[in-house]
Amino acid sequence: MTFPENFLWGGATAANQCEGAWDINGKGVSTADHLMAGSKTTPRKFTANIEEGAYYPSHEAIDFYHRYKEDIAMFAEMGFKIFRMSIAWARIYPNGDDAEPNKAGIEFYRSVFNELKKYGIEPLVTLSHYEMPYHLAEKYDGWADRRCIDFYLKYCGTVFKEYKGLVKYWLTFNEINSLSLEGNGYFSGGILSNGGDLNIFEVAKESKEAINKRFNGLHHQFIASAKAVNLAHKIDGNYMVGCMLAGLCTYPATSKPEDILARQNQAQRKLFLCGDVQVKGEYPYFSKRYFHENGITIDFIEGDTKILKEGRVDFFTFSYYSTGCISTDADAQKTGGNLIFGVVNPYLKTSEWGWQIDPKGLRYFLNEFYDRYGLPIMVVENGLGAKDVVESDGSIHDQYRIEYLRLHVEQMKEAIDDGVELIGYTPWGCIDIVSAGTGEMEKRYGMIYVDKDNSGKGTLSRIRKDSFYWYKRCIETNGADI
Ligand code: BGP
């Protein structure tokens, strides 16, 4: 059992969780800049105005904007072949609907890509990772408005042209299926009228109108993604454009037929619907009944069907942290997760944040996705959010993280042996960054520690954890010595 010779080992981040520099060198304010910090039990709050003196985690984050050279050097030291990052749309088009792009923003990412190139690290660029220019949310209600498709394409066209030769792999939307989840209108769609406090751990109550708006927002993202795939291919025949799904991976809680059906339903609606549209180029058969029963009417216009067909993605990617179970028993105990999840699986252990750890599930779902889509796959997020302790000598012994990663790497190996065409692995938050769900800093995923706490205090200095040396060895031996 070995990983293929050219396997893309690396790590993953997102702009609003690591860059900081939220309002300098021409960057516009993004939807993520309006989110305060929360915790495991308190939802993050969205504020319509940025409150003076209040703490907004994205504003400084880990200051990757000024420290990218130092950080990329450490990624190179670990042996990264690929680095997943996102471009902050508002750094390129500050308001989203501007006539001209912000030159300083374009040059910033060019410098980052050049720095990666220096070490032979391939960028994997997410075009939209849980943020958009705030102006688009305020003026147009975000993705609920079809005009956002053109604003997004203008932005895509600019970066596709500017970074030709520097980037090969693109992802159109991070965890696009999060917009198919209750209560996620603002977070993943900039739909302000669906906003308010954000609690992505609970099913928020939405009006029929809000649900309809959210699904139309999703439809607009599908069209934007398909058009972006086409545009990318026109600009550079070597571009590879992928979709990215939140791996909301579930099992039936019992063998009771009702549970089996409920799980099938959940998987179709929350997972496969988006994958099917982006990979197969059309809405799946089961969407009709689902939309009908929930009063959802998609605003299809002439040409949409063709656009979806012609804009199928080149590869498939997903995030994988944990699994949950689906049950029809209303009293079954709920479990945590990066988005809304199911009920407890008695066979699994959980992380400190209540996410169930399931390495074998990764092999299972890699097989599921490959069987359904037949495209090359990358696991573009995976990891353990945990608190770390810095010892008096400055070392950090994160054996728990090594164990988590080791077990998942083992299962990827198995999946490759099963015949799955797995081409890359970018564990989440390879350097500690702000948590998307809670806004905390102390929910750490990194192999590199960043000195900063939940209230935003710290020196921002970087420290190599034990997992840093473990991952370096893993990459060096192409997954043989783990
Ligand atoms: C995914 C997001 C990431 C990320 C990760 C971990 O859903 O794509 O942005 O942060 O989950 O979640 P969290 O940061 O809430 O621990």
Side-chain angles (χ1 to χ4, degrees), residues 14 17 129-130 174-175 200 244 319 321 338-339 355 381 428 434-438 443 445:
Q17 292 171 257
H129 193 125
Y130 285 155
N174 181 61
E175 299 192 329
I200 61 175
M244 196 294 193
S319 60
Y321 295 92
N338 47 339
L339 293 158
W355 298 18
E381 287 186 29
W428 181 250
V434 173
S435 156
T438 66
K443 186 182 187 191
Y445 289 87

mmCIF file with all atom_site columns, all heavy atoms in Angstrom, residues 14 17 129-130 174-175 200 244 319 321 338-339 355 381 428 434-438 443 445, ligand 1:
data_model
loop_
_atom_site.group_PDB
_atom_site.id
_atom_site.type_symbol
_atom_site.label_atom_id
_atom_site.label_alt_id
_atom_site.label_comp_id
_atom_site.label_asym_id
_atom_site.label_entity_id
_atom_site.label_seq_id
_atom_site.pdbx_PDB_ins_code
_atom_site.Cartn_x
_atom_site.Cartn_y
_atom_site.Cartn_z
_atom_site.occupancy
_atom_site.B_iso_or_equiv
_atom_site.pdbx_formal_charge
_atom_site.auth_seq_id
_atom_site.auth_comp_id
_atom_site.auth_asym_id
_atom_site.auth_atom_id
_atom_site.pdbx_PDB_model_num
ATOM   1   N N   . ALA A 1 14  ? -8.243  29.643 4.988  1.00 0.00 ? 14  ALA A N   1
ATOM   2   C CA  . ALA A 1 14  ? -9.168  30.535 4.273  1.00 0.00 ? 14  ALA A CA  1
ATOM   3   C C   . ALA A 1 14  ? -8.803  31.969 4.634  1.00 0.00 ? 14  ALA A C   1
ATOM   4   O O   . ALA A 1 14  ? -8.407  32.242 5.773  1.00 0.00 ? 14  ALA A O   1
ATOM   5   C CB  . ALA A 1 14  ? -10.603 30.252 4.681  1.00 0.00 ? 14  ALA A CB  1
ATOM   6   N N   . GLN A 1 17  ? -9.984  33.805 7.790  1.00 0.00 ? 17  GLN A N   1
ATOM   7   C CA  . GLN A 1 17  ? -9.591  33.162 9.040  1.00 0.00 ? 17  GLN A CA  1
ATOM   8   C C   . GLN A 1 17  ? -8.092  33.315 9.331  1.00 0.00 ? 17  GLN A C   1
ATOM   9   O O   . GLN A 1 17  ? -7.629  32.979 10.401 1.00 0.00 ? 17  GLN A O   1
ATOM   10  C CB  . GLN A 1 17  ? -9.987  31.681 9.008  1.00 0.00 ? 17  GLN A CB  1
ATOM   11  C CG  . GLN A 1 17  ? -11.507 31.497 9.026  1.00 0.00 ? 17  GLN A CG  1
ATOM   12  C CD  . GLN A 1 17  ? -11.949 30.062 8.781  1.00 0.00 ? 17  GLN A CD  1
ATOM   13  O OE1 . GLN A 1 17  ? -12.399 29.721 7.690  1.00 0.00 ? 17  GLN A OE1 1
ATOM   14  N NE2 . GLN A 1 17  ? -11.805 29.205 9.770  1.00 0.00 ? 17  GLN A NE2 1
ATOM   15  N N   . HIS A 1 129 ? -14.766 31.612 0.003  1.00 0.00 ? 129 HIS A N   1
ATOM   16  C CA  . HIS A 1 129 ? -14.768 30.800 1.231  1.00 0.00 ? 129 HIS A CA  1
ATOM   17  C C   . HIS A 1 129 ? -15.479 31.563 2.341  1.00 0.00 ? 129 HIS A C   1
ATOM   18  O O   . HIS A 1 129 ? -14.895 32.351 3.065  1.00 0.00 ? 129 HIS A O   1
ATOM   19  C CB  . HIS A 1 129 ? -13.332 30.461 1.654  1.00 0.00 ? 129 HIS A CB  1
ATOM   20  C CG  . HIS A 1 129 ? -13.252 29.391 2.716  1.00 0.00 ? 129 HIS A CG  1
ATOM   21  N ND1 . HIS A 1 129 ? -12.504 28.244 2.574  1.00 0.00 ? 129 HIS A ND1 1
ATOM   22  C CD2 . HIS A 1 129 ? -13.844 29.283 3.927  1.00 0.00 ? 129 HIS A CD2 1
ATOM   23  C CE1 . HIS A 1 129 ? -12.632 27.484 3.659  1.00 0.00 ? 129 HIS A CE1 1
ATOM   24  N NE2 . HIS A 1 129 ? -13.444 28.098 4.487  1.00 0.00 ? 129 HIS A NE2 1
ATOM   25  N N   . TYR A 1 130 ? -16.764 31.347 2.464  1.00 0.00 ? 130 TYR A N   1
ATOM   26  C CA  . TYR A 1 130 ? -17.589 31.933 3.522  1.00 0.00 ? 130 TYR A CA  1
ATOM   27  C C   . TYR A 1 130 ? -17.440 33.447 3.670  1.00 0.00 ? 130 TYR A C   1
ATOM   28  O O   . TYR A 1 130 ? -17.388 33.968 4.781  1.00 0.00 ? 130 TYR A O   1
ATOM   29  C CB  . TYR A 1 130 ? -17.281 31.251 4.860  1.00 0.00 ? 130 TYR A CB  1
ATOM   30  C CG  . TYR A 1 130 ? -17.869 29.862 4.981  1.00 0.00 ? 130 TYR A CG  1
ATOM   31  C CD1 . TYR A 1 130 ? -17.307 28.909 5.827  1.00 0.00 ? 130 TYR A CD1 1
ATOM   32  C CD2 . TYR A 1 130 ? -18.999 29.497 4.270  1.00 0.00 ? 130 TYR A CD2 1
ATOM   33  C CE1 . TYR A 1 130 ? -17.848 27.635 5.945  1.00 0.00 ? 130 TYR A CE1 1
ATOM   34  C CE2 . TYR A 1 130 ? -19.550 28.233 4.376  1.00 0.00 ? 130 TYR A CE2 1
ATOM   35  C CZ  . TYR A 1 130 ? -18.971 27.316 5.218  1.00 0.00 ? 130 TYR A CZ  1
ATOM   36  O OH  . TYR A 1 130 ? -19.512 26.062 5.330  1.00 0.00 ? 130 TYR A OH  1
ATOM   37  N N   . ASN A 1 174 ? -16.533 27.281 -1.318 1.00 0.00 ? 174 ASN A N   1
ATOM   38  C CA  . ASN A 1 174 ? -16.284 26.403 -0.177 1.00 0.00 ? 174 ASN A CA  1
ATOM   39  C C   . ASN A 1 174 ? -17.602 25.827 0.338  1.00 0.00 ? 174 ASN A C   1
ATOM   40  O O   . ASN A 1 174 ? -18.589 26.549 0.490  1.00 0.00 ? 174 ASN A O   1
ATOM   41  C CB  . ASN A 1 174 ? -15.630 27.205 0.953  1.00 0.00 ? 174 ASN A CB  1
ATOM   42  C CG  . ASN A 1 174 ? -15.331 26.348 2.169  1.00 0.00 ? 174 ASN A CG  1
ATOM   43  O OD1 . ASN A 1 174 ? -14.562 25.378 2.077  1.00 0.00 ? 174 ASN A OD1 1
ATOM   44  N ND2 . ASN A 1 174 ? -15.931 26.661 3.309  1.00 0.00 ? 174 ASN A ND2 1
ATOM   45  N N   . GLU A 1 175 ? -17.609 24.530 0.608  1.00 0.00 ? 175 GLU A N   1
ATOM   46  C CA  . GLU A 1 175 ? -18.761 23.865 1.236  1.00 0.00 ? 175 GLU A CA  1
ATOM   47  C C   . GLU A 1 175 ? -20.090 24.407 0.707  1.00 0.00 ? 175 GLU A C   1
ATOM   48  O O   . GLU A 1 175 ? -20.927 24.899 1.470  1.00 0.00 ? 175 GLU A O   1
ATOM   49  C CB  . GLU A 1 175 ? -18.680 23.991 2.761  1.00 0.00 ? 175 GLU A CB  1
ATOM   50  C CG  . GLU A 1 175 ? -17.426 23.324 3.317  1.00 0.00 ? 175 GLU A CG  1
ATOM   51  C CD  . GLU A 1 175 ? -17.411 23.155 4.831  1.00 0.00 ? 175 GLU A CD  1
ATOM   52  O OE1 . GLU A 1 175 ? -17.992 23.995 5.523  1.00 0.00 ? 175 GLU A OE1 1
ATOM   53  O OE2 . GLU A 1 175 ? -16.816 22.170 5.314  1.00 0.00 ? 175 GLU A OE2 1
ATOM   54  N N   . ILE A 1 200 ? -24.487 27.977 13.881 1.00 0.00 ? 200 ILE A N   1
ATOM   55  C CA  . ILE A 1 200 ? -24.488 26.934 12.867 1.00 0.00 ? 200 ILE A CA  1
ATOM   56  C C   . ILE A 1 200 ? -24.539 25.549 13.506 1.00 0.00 ? 200 ILE A C   1
ATOM   57  O O   . ILE A 1 200 ? -24.485 24.548 12.827 1.00 0.00 ? 200 ILE A O   1
ATOM   58  C CB  . ILE A 1 200 ? -23.299 27.071 11.893 1.00 0.00 ? 200 ILE A CB  1
ATOM   59  C CG1 . ILE A 1 200 ? -21.975 26.953 12.619 1.00 0.00 ? 200 ILE A CG1 1
ATOM   60  C CG2 . ILE A 1 200 ? -23.366 28.370 11.127 1.00 0.00 ? 200 ILE A CG2 1
ATOM   61  C CD1 . ILE A 1 200 ? -20.786 26.951 11.678 1.00 0.00 ? 200 ILE A CD1 1
ATOM   62  N N   . MET A 1 244 ? -16.527 21.883 -4.029 1.00 0.00 ? 244 MET A N   1
ATOM   63  C CA  . MET A 1 244 ? -16.116 21.589 -2.659 1.00 0.00 ? 244 MET A CA  1
ATOM   64  C C   . MET A 1 244 ? -17.353 21.465 -1.787 1.00 0.00 ? 244 MET A C   1
ATOM   65  O O   . MET A 1 244 ? -18.139 22.404 -1.680 1.00 0.00 ? 244 MET A O   1
ATOM   66  C CB  . MET A 1 244 ? -15.202 22.713 -2.177 1.00 0.00 ? 244 MET A CB  1
ATOM   67  C CG  . MET A 1 244 ? -14.379 22.402 -0.943 1.00 0.00 ? 244 MET A CG  1
ATOM   68  S SD  . MET A 1 244 ? -15.348 22.167 0.554  1.00 0.00 ? 244 MET A SD  1
ATOM   69  C CE  . MET A 1 244 ? -14.139 22.202 1.815  1.00 0.00 ? 244 MET A CE  1
ATOM   70  N N   . SER A 1 319 ? -14.725 18.367 2.646  1.00 0.00 ? 319 SER A N   1
ATOM   71  C CA  . SER A 1 319 ? -14.127 18.453 3.981  1.00 0.00 ? 319 SER A CA  1
ATOM   72  C C   . SER A 1 319 ? -14.601 17.241 4.755  1.00 0.00 ? 319 SER A C   1
ATOM   73  O O   . SER A 1 319 ? -15.737 16.791 4.591  1.00 0.00 ? 319 SER A O   1
ATOM   74  C CB  . SER A 1 319 ? -14.579 19.732 4.689  1.00 0.00 ? 319 SER A CB  1
ATOM   75  O OG  . SER A 1 319 ? -15.992 19.758 4.832  1.00 0.00 ? 319 SER A OG  1
ATOM   76  N N   . TYR A 1 321 ? -14.386 15.806 8.753  1.00 0.00 ? 321 TYR A N   1
ATOM   77  C CA  . TYR A 1 321 ? -13.933 15.873 10.138 1.00 0.00 ? 321 TYR A CA  1
ATOM   78  C C   . TYR A 1 321 ? -14.525 14.746 10.972 1.00 0.00 ? 321 TYR A C   1
ATOM   79  O O   . TYR A 1 321 ? -13.873 14.201 11.844 1.00 0.00 ? 321 TYR A O   1
ATOM   80  C CB  . TYR A 1 321 ? -14.352 17.197 10.786 1.00 0.00 ? 321 TYR A CB  1
ATOM   81  C CG  . TYR A 1 321 ? -13.683 18.393 10.156 1.00 0.00 ? 321 TYR A CG  1
ATOM   82  C CD1 . TYR A 1 321 ? -14.286 19.083 9.101  1.00 0.00 ? 321 TYR A CD1 1
ATOM   83  C CD2 . TYR A 1 321 ? -12.446 18.826 10.610 1.00 0.00 ? 321 TYR A CD2 1
ATOM   84  C CE1 . TYR A 1 321 ? -13.660 20.168 8.522  1.00 0.00 ? 321 TYR A CE1 1
ATOM   85  C CE2 . TYR A 1 321 ? -11.817 19.920 10.040 1.00 0.00 ? 321 TYR A CE2 1
ATOM   86  C CZ  . TYR A 1 321 ? -12.434 20.585 8.989  1.00 0.00 ? 321 TYR A CZ  1
ATOM   87  O OH  . TYR A 1 321 ? -11.803 21.659 8.419  1.00 0.00 ? 321 TYR A OH  1
ATOM   88  N N   . ASN A 1 338 ? -19.166 20.452 12.315 1.00 0.00 ? 338 ASN A N   1
ATOM   89  C CA  . ASN A 1 338 ? -18.875 21.780 11.777 1.00 0.00 ? 338 ASN A CA  1
ATOM   90  C C   . ASN A 1 338 ? -20.117 22.439 11.197 1.00 0.00 ? 338 ASN A C   1
ATOM   91  O O   . ASN A 1 338 ? -20.147 23.624 10.998 1.00 0.00 ? 338 ASN A O   1
ATOM   92  C CB  . ASN A 1 338 ? -17.723 21.778 10.766 1.00 0.00 ? 338 ASN A CB  1
ATOM   93  C CG  . ASN A 1 338 ? -17.833 20.700 9.738  1.00 0.00 ? 338 ASN A CG  1
ATOM   94  O OD1 . ASN A 1 338 ? -18.531 19.707 9.943  1.00 0.00 ? 338 ASN A OD1 1
ATOM   95  N ND2 . ASN A 1 338 ? -17.162 20.879 8.629  1.00 0.00 ? 338 ASN A ND2 1
ATOM   96  N N   . LEU A 1 339 ? -21.145 21.662 10.914 1.00 0.00 ? 339 LEU A N   1
ATOM   97  C CA  . LEU A 1 339 ? -22.417 22.251 10.514 1.00 0.00 ? 339 LEU A CA  1
ATOM   98  C C   . LEU A 1 339 ? -23.472 21.403 11.233 1.00 0.00 ? 339 LEU A C   1
ATOM   99  O O   . LEU A 1 339 ? -23.136 20.650 12.136 1.00 0.00 ? 339 LEU A O   1
ATOM   100 C CB  . LEU A 1 339 ? -22.554 22.214 8.992  1.00 0.00 ? 339 LEU A CB  1
ATOM   101 C CG  . LEU A 1 339 ? -21.540 23.130 8.260  1.00 0.00 ? 339 LEU A CG  1
ATOM   102 C CD1 . LEU A 1 339 ? -21.321 22.694 6.836  1.00 0.00 ? 339 LEU A CD1 1
ATOM   103 C CD2 . LEU A 1 339 ? -21.975 24.574 8.301  1.00 0.00 ? 339 LEU A CD2 1
ATOM   104 N N   . TRP A 1 355 ? -17.242 16.726 18.365 1.00 0.00 ? 355 TRP A N   1
ATOM   105 C CA  . TRP A 1 355 ? -17.323 16.178 17.009 1.00 0.00 ? 355 TRP A CA  1
ATOM   106 C C   . TRP A 1 355 ? -16.885 14.715 17.068 1.00 0.00 ? 355 TRP A C   1
ATOM   107 O O   . TRP A 1 355 ? -15.835 14.395 17.636 1.00 0.00 ? 355 TRP A O   1
ATOM   108 C CB  . TRP A 1 355 ? -16.385 16.939 16.052 1.00 0.00 ? 355 TRP A CB  1
ATOM   109 C CG  . TRP A 1 355 ? -16.703 18.393 15.888 1.00 0.00 ? 355 TRP A CG  1
ATOM   110 C CD1 . TRP A 1 355 ? -17.462 19.179 16.700 1.00 0.00 ? 355 TRP A CD1 1
ATOM   111 C CD2 . TRP A 1 355 ? -16.250 19.248 14.832 1.00 0.00 ? 355 TRP A CD2 1
ATOM   112 N NE1 . TRP A 1 355 ? -17.498 20.466 16.225 1.00 0.00 ? 355 TRP A NE1 1
ATOM   113 C CE2 . TRP A 1 355 ? -16.768 20.537 15.077 1.00 0.00 ? 355 TRP A CE2 1
ATOM   114 C CE3 . TRP A 1 355 ? -15.453 19.044 13.692 1.00 0.00 ? 355 TRP A CE3 1
ATOM   115 C CZ2 . TRP A 1 355 ? -16.521 21.624 14.230 1.00 0.00 ? 355 TRP A CZ2 1
ATOM   116 C CZ3 . TRP A 1 355 ? -15.205 20.120 12.861 1.00 0.00 ? 355 TRP A CZ3 1
ATOM   117 C CH2 . TRP A 1 355 ? -15.744 21.400 13.125 1.00 0.00 ? 355 TRP A CH2 1
ATOM   118 N N   . GLU A 1 381 ? -10.086 19.298 3.535  1.00 0.00 ? 381 GLU A N   1
ATOM   119 C CA  . GLU A 1 381 ? -10.117 19.693 4.952  1.00 0.00 ? 381 GLU A CA  1
ATOM   120 C C   . GLU A 1 381 ? -10.261 18.425 5.771  1.00 0.00 ? 381 GLU A C   1
ATOM   121 O O   . GLU A 1 381 ? -11.052 17.543 5.420  1.00 0.00 ? 381 GLU A O   1
ATOM   122 C CB  . GLU A 1 381 ? -11.314 20.605 5.265  1.00 0.00 ? 381 GLU A CB  1
ATOM   123 C CG  . GLU A 1 381 ? -11.195 22.003 4.736  1.00 0.00 ? 381 GLU A CG  1
ATOM   124 C CD  . GLU A 1 381 ? -12.343 22.909 5.193  1.00 0.00 ? 381 GLU A CD  1
ATOM   125 O OE1 . GLU A 1 381 ? -12.899 22.685 6.287  1.00 0.00 ? 381 GLU A OE1 1
ATOM   126 O OE2 . GLU A 1 381 ? -12.671 23.843 4.446  1.00 0.00 ? 381 GLU A OE2 1
ATOM   127 N N   . TRP A 1 428 ? -6.903  20.684 7.455  1.00 0.00 ? 428 TRP A N   1
ATOM   128 C CA  . TRP A 1 428 ? -7.382  22.023 7.759  1.00 0.00 ? 428 TRP A CA  1
ATOM   129 C C   . TRP A 1 428 ? -6.472  22.759 8.744  1.00 0.00 ? 428 TRP A C   1
ATOM   130 O O   . TRP A 1 428 ? -5.922  22.158 9.662  1.00 0.00 ? 428 TRP A O   1
ATOM   131 C CB  . TRP A 1 428 ? -8.809  21.993 8.338  1.00 0.00 ? 428 TRP A CB  1
ATOM   132 C CG  . TRP A 1 428 ? -9.278  23.391 8.623  1.00 0.00 ? 428 TRP A CG  1
ATOM   133 C CD1 . TRP A 1 428 ? -9.479  23.958 9.846  1.00 0.00 ? 428 TRP A CD1 1
ATOM   134 C CD2 . TRP A 1 428 ? -9.528  24.412 7.653  1.00 0.00 ? 428 TRP A CD2 1
ATOM   135 N NE1 . TRP A 1 428 ? -9.855  25.271 9.693  1.00 0.00 ? 428 TRP A NE1 1
ATOM   136 C CE2 . TRP A 1 428 ? -9.891  25.575 8.358  1.00 0.00 ? 428 TRP A CE2 1
ATOM   137 C CE3 . TRP A 1 428 ? -9.481  24.451 6.252  1.00 0.00 ? 428 TRP A CE3 1
ATOM   138 C CZ2 . TRP A 1 428 ? -10.204 26.772 7.713  1.00 0.00 ? 428 TRP A CZ2 1
ATOM   139 C CZ3 . TRP A 1 428 ? -9.790  25.645 5.610  1.00 0.00 ? 428 TRP A CZ3 1
ATOM   140 C CH2 . TRP A 1 428 ? -10.152 26.785 6.347  1.00 0.00 ? 428 TRP A CH2 1
ATOM   141 N N   . VAL A 1 434 ? -8.310  31.294 12.997 1.00 0.00 ? 434 VAL A N   1
ATOM   142 C CA  . VAL A 1 434 ? -9.579  31.542 13.683 1.00 0.00 ? 434 VAL A CA  1
ATOM   143 C C   . VAL A 1 434 ? -10.588 30.456 13.287 1.00 0.00 ? 434 VAL A C   1
ATOM   144 O O   . VAL A 1 434 ? -10.680 30.091 12.122 1.00 0.00 ? 434 VAL A O   1
ATOM   145 C CB  . VAL A 1 434 ? -10.138 32.920 13.252 1.00 0.00 ? 434 VAL A CB  1
ATOM   146 C CG1 . VAL A 1 434 ? -11.537 33.142 13.810 1.00 0.00 ? 434 VAL A CG1 1
ATOM   147 C CG2 . VAL A 1 434 ? -9.187  34.042 13.644 1.00 0.00 ? 434 VAL A CG2 1
ATOM   148 N N   . SER A 1 435 ? -11.348 29.964 14.261 1.00 0.00 ? 435 SER A N   1
ATOM   149 C CA  . SER A 1 435 ? -12.376 28.966 13.951 1.00 0.00 ? 435 SER A CA  1
ATOM   150 C C   . SER A 1 435 ? -13.544 29.640 13.221 1.00 0.00 ? 435 SER A C   1
ATOM   151 O O   . SER A 1 435 ? -13.991 30.717 13.620 1.00 0.00 ? 435 SER A O   1
ATOM   152 C CB  . SER A 1 435 ? -12.877 28.323 15.249 1.00 0.00 ? 435 SER A CB  1
ATOM   153 O OG  . SER A 1 435 ? -14.167 27.794 15.070 1.00 0.00 ? 435 SER A OG  1
ATOM   154 N N   . ALA A 1 436 ? -14.007 28.996 12.163 1.00 0.00 ? 436 ALA A N   1
ATOM   155 C CA  . ALA A 1 436 ? -15.125 29.571 11.413 1.00 0.00 ? 436 ALA A CA  1
ATOM   156 C C   . ALA A 1 436 ? -16.413 29.472 12.219 1.00 0.00 ? 436 ALA A C   1
ATOM   157 O O   . ALA A 1 436 ? -17.206 30.408 12.272 1.00 0.00 ? 436 ALA A O   1
ATOM   158 C CB  . ALA A 1 436 ? -15.303 28.841 10.081 1.00 0.00 ? 436 ALA A CB  1
ATOM   159 N N   . GLY A 1 437 ? -16.600 28.362 12.872 1.00 0.00 ? 437 GLY A N   1
ATOM   160 C CA  . GLY A 1 437 ? -17.856 28.124 13.578 1.00 0.00 ? 437 GLY A CA  1
ATOM   161 C C   . GLY A 1 437 ? -18.001 28.952 14.835 1.00 0.00 ? 437 GLY A C   1
ATOM   162 O O   . GLY A 1 437 ? -19.071 29.493 15.111 1.00 0.00 ? 437 GLY A O   1
ATOM   163 N N   . THR A 1 438 ? -16.912 29.075 15.600 1.00 0.00 ? 438 THR A N   1
ATOM   164 C CA  . THR A 1 438 ? -17.030 29.757 16.898 1.00 0.00 ? 438 THR A CA  1
ATOM   165 C C   . THR A 1 438 ? -16.269 31.078 16.967 1.00 0.00 ? 438 THR A C   1
ATOM   166 O O   . THR A 1 438 ? -16.491 31.857 17.887 1.00 0.00 ? 438 THR A O   1
ATOM   167 C CB  . THR A 1 438 ? -16.486 28.854 18.038 1.00 0.00 ? 438 THR A CB  1
ATOM   168 O OG1 . THR A 1 438 ? -15.079 28.686 17.849 1.00 0.00 ? 438 THR A OG1 1
ATOM   169 C CG2 . THR A 1 438 ? -17.169 27.496 18.050 1.00 0.00 ? 438 THR A CG2 1
ATOM   170 N N   . LYS A 1 443 ? -9.394  26.879 19.535 1.00 0.00 ? 443 LYS A N   1
ATOM   171 C CA  . LYS A 1 443 ? -9.778  25.623 18.887 1.00 0.00 ? 443 LYS A CA  1
ATOM   172 C C   . LYS A 1 443 ? -8.774  25.464 17.751 1.00 0.00 ? 443 LYS A C   1
ATOM   173 O O   . LYS A 1 443 ? -8.968  25.953 16.648 1.00 0.00 ? 443 LYS A O   1
ATOM   174 C CB  . LYS A 1 443 ? -11.204 25.722 18.357 1.00 0.00 ? 443 LYS A CB  1
ATOM   175 C CG  . LYS A 1 443 ? -11.718 24.423 17.793 1.00 0.00 ? 443 LYS A CG  1
ATOM   176 C CD  . LYS A 1 443 ? -13.114 24.562 17.227 1.00 0.00 ? 443 LYS A CD  1
ATOM   177 C CE  . LYS A 1 443 ? -13.656 23.204 16.842 1.00 0.00 ? 443 LYS A CE  1
ATOM   178 N NZ  . LYS A 1 443 ? -14.887 23.309 16.050 1.00 0.00 ? 443 LYS A NZ  1
ATOM   179 N N   . TYR A 1 445 ? -6.143  23.690 15.013 1.00 0.00 ? 445 TYR A N   1
ATOM   180 C CA  . TYR A 1 445 ? -5.976  22.547 14.112 1.00 0.00 ? 445 TYR A CA  1
ATOM   181 C C   . TYR A 1 445 ? -4.524  22.405 13.664 1.00 0.00 ? 445 TYR A C   1
ATOM   182 O O   . TYR A 1 445 ? -4.145  21.412 13.072 1.00 0.00 ? 445 TYR A O   1
ATOM   183 C CB  . TYR A 1 445 ? -6.825  22.736 12.848 1.00 0.00 ? 445 TYR A CB  1
ATOM   184 C CG  . TYR A 1 445 ? -8.309  22.601 13.069 1.00 0.00 ? 445 TYR A CG  1
ATOM   185 C CD1 . TYR A 1 445 ? -9.079  23.686 13.461 1.00 0.00 ? 445 TYR A CD1 1
ATOM   186 C CD2 . TYR A 1 445 ? -8.943  21.375 12.874 1.00 0.00 ? 445 TYR A CD2 1
ATOM   187 C CE1 . TYR A 1 445 ? -10.442 23.572 13.661 1.00 0.00 ? 445 TYR A CE1 1
ATOM   188 C CE2 . TYR A 1 445 ? -10.308 21.243 13.070 1.00 0.00 ? 445 TYR A CE2 1
ATOM   189 C CZ  . TYR A 1 445 ? -11.057 22.353 13.463 1.00 0.00 ? 445 TYR A CZ  1
ATOM   190 O OH  . TYR A 1 445 ? -12.400 22.221 13.663 1.00 0.00 ? 445 TYR A OH  1
HETATM 191 C C1  . BGP B 2 .   ? -15.308 24.015 7.629  1.00 0.00 ? 1   BGP B C1  1
HETATM 192 C C2  . BGP B 2 .   ? -14.933 25.331 7.005  1.00 0.00 ? 1   BGP B C2  1
HETATM 193 C C3  . BGP B 2 .   ? -13.648 25.914 7.477  1.00 0.00 ? 1   BGP B C3  1
HETATM 194 C C4  . BGP B 2 .   ? -13.240 25.536 8.866  1.00 0.00 ? 1   BGP B C4  1
HETATM 195 C C5  . BGP B 2 .   ? -13.595 24.146 9.301  1.00 0.00 ? 1   BGP B C5  1
HETATM 196 C C6  . BGP B 2 .   ? -13.426 23.866 10.772 1.00 0.00 ? 1   BGP B C6  1
HETATM 197 O O1  . BGP B 2 .   ? -16.690 23.916 7.726  1.00 0.00 ? 1   BGP B O1  1
HETATM 198 O O2  . BGP B 2 .   ? -14.840 25.231 5.614  1.00 0.00 ? 1   BGP B O2  1
HETATM 199 O O3  . BGP B 2 .   ? -13.645 27.277 7.189  1.00 0.00 ? 1   BGP B O3  1
HETATM 200 O O4  . BGP B 2 .   ? -13.059 26.503 9.749  1.00 0.00 ? 1   BGP B O4  1
HETATM 201 O O5  . BGP B 2 .   ? -14.887 23.796 8.929  1.00 0.00 ? 1   BGP B O5  1
HETATM 202 O O6  . BGP B 2 .   ? -14.493 24.404 11.484 1.00 0.00 ? 1   BGP B O6  1
HETATM 203 P P1  . BGP B 2 .   ? -14.295 25.299 12.746 1.00 0.00 ? 1   BGP B P1  1
HETATM 204 O O7  . BGP B 2 .   ? -13.372 26.372 12.347 1.00 0.00 ? 1   BGP B O7  1
HETATM 205 O O8  . BGP B 2 .   ? -15.641 25.789 13.098 1.00 0.00 ? 1   BGP B O8  1
HETATM 206 O O9  . BGP B 2 .   ? -13.714 24.400 13.804 1.00 0.00 ? 1   BGP B O9  1
#
